[in-house]
Amino acid sequence: MNLISCDGVSSDIRALSNRPARATAEVLFVGTQCNFSQSLISATSQELGHITVGAASSLGDVRGLTETTGEWPSLLVLDEPTMRGLAPQDRACLLGLPDMALAVAFCSSAFARACYEDEGLRQRMISLFPLNVRLDVWLSVVKLVAHGGNYIPPEIMATAPAATPPGAAGDETGLTQRQHDVLRLVADGQSNKRIALMLGLSVHTVKLHLRNASQRLGAHNRTDAAMRYRALRP
């Protein structure tokens, strides 16, 4: 790997923060400089403040760095060409990292709809957002996702057919056992941090289970999910 940093110094990734607390950036953009330009990443870094931001040209560069450091970013954002070009083993690797949030910055709505309809990506609660938007919109969406939120453009959800829940828990709700565990504790008034300690999970994984469960129940937020789950309990 030999990418160019913003100050012109050769480095493993282009680090865009003056406080590099980690060997691997917390938010890492992977794709062409045409899509993730230096100015765009710099503006994103300024917006996110204390969260370290970086950019890499390929997933191979990222994997090489993480093998050296033992760290993956908290959020990995792939541009559409990178996502289209994923080898099966790379896709399996990304979908198998539950403590890392994933997002795709897309160019075409058709590709975004295909991602939204992909059951593996839906299970992973991947975020989708367009590249060709105003900078203020881009910054707002990235900030939301970087802080643990999930974003799918309303027009993508409106034009894509609803996926059939897999029913992993063997009941009519389609919730997995772990999602039942998380929702039960949410309904009992426990915080995400407390739930993580009780179930032996990370806080990010708890949020991931809660988002997946909320989507299955048609809930709009944490409180709505808790109310809907209470209604299901005998």
Side-chain angles (χ1 to χ4, degrees):
M1 294 176 291
N2 189 28
L3 302 181
I4 304 302
S5 67
C6 286
D7 57 5
V9 178
S10 178
S11 62
D12 284 329
I13 63 172
R14 290 181 285 132
L16 276 302
S17 171
N18 58 3
R19 285 174 291 179
R22 295 159 38 101
T24 302
E26 295 170 272
V27 177
L28 191 56
F29 293 84
V30 184
T32 67
Q33 289 199 16
C34 177
N35 287 328
F36 297 142
S37 66
Q38 179 173 311
S39 60
L40 178 64
I41 303 302
S42 294
T44 303
S45 179
Q46 293 177 12
E47 179 68 20
L48 295 183
H50 68 281
I51 298 177
T52 57
V53 177
S57 59
S58 72
L59 191 59
D61 288 337
V62 178
R63 294 188 69 170
L65 181 62
T66 56
E67 287 171 4
T68 300
T69 64
E71 294 179 344
W72 281 90
S74 300
L75 168 63
L76 193 67
V77 183
L78 311 178
D79 68 358
E80 182 175 325
T82 300
M83 189 67 186
R84 285 182 181 275
L86 282 184
Q89 61 269 27
D90 288 330
R91 173 187 162 99
C93 175
L94 294 178
L95 296 185
L97 294 168
D99 290 330
M100 182 182 70
L102 291 173
V104 173
F106 63 86
C107 304
S108 66
S109 296
F111 182 73
R113 283 193 293 272
C115 288
Y116 183 69
E117 295 169 19
D118 185 304
E119 184 59 33
L121 299 181
R122 285 176 68 94
Q123 287 287 316
R124 192 61 175 72
M125 286 299 288
I126 194 168
S127 292
L128 300 167
F129 42 86
L131 280 163
N132 57 339
V133 292
R134 298 194 322 265
L135 179 60
D136 61 328
V137 175
W138 166 271
L139 295 175
S140 296
V141 172
V142 173
K143 188 172 184 179
L144 168 69
V145 177
H147 284 87
N150 180 255
Y151 181 80
I152 305 289
E155 62 271 19
I156 299 300
M157 291 191 290
T159 56
T164 302
D171 63 17
E172 67 279 4
T173 67
L175 296 171
T176 67
Q177 183 57 53
R178 186 57 86 189
Q179 289 164 358
H180 273 287
D181 294 339
V182 170
L183 278 176
R184 173 176 53 81
L185 293 171
V186 170
D188 290 342
Q190 302 294 338
S191 67
N192 287 348
K193 185 175 181 180
R194 178 63 179 165
I195 294 171
L197 290 173
M198 295 173 72
L199 299 180
L201 304 172
S202 70
V203 174
H204 178 78
T205 300
V206 169
K207 290 179 180 178
L208 183 66
H209 285 310
L210 181 56
R211 290 200 298 268
N212 284 337
S214 296
Q215 184 181 48
R216 283 192 170 85
L217 296 179
H220 302 293
N221 52 47
R222 178 190 175 91
T223 301
D224 190 20
M227 292 177 61
R228 289 172 187 250
Y229 187 73
R230 288 193 194 99
L232 295 174
R233 295 168 71 173

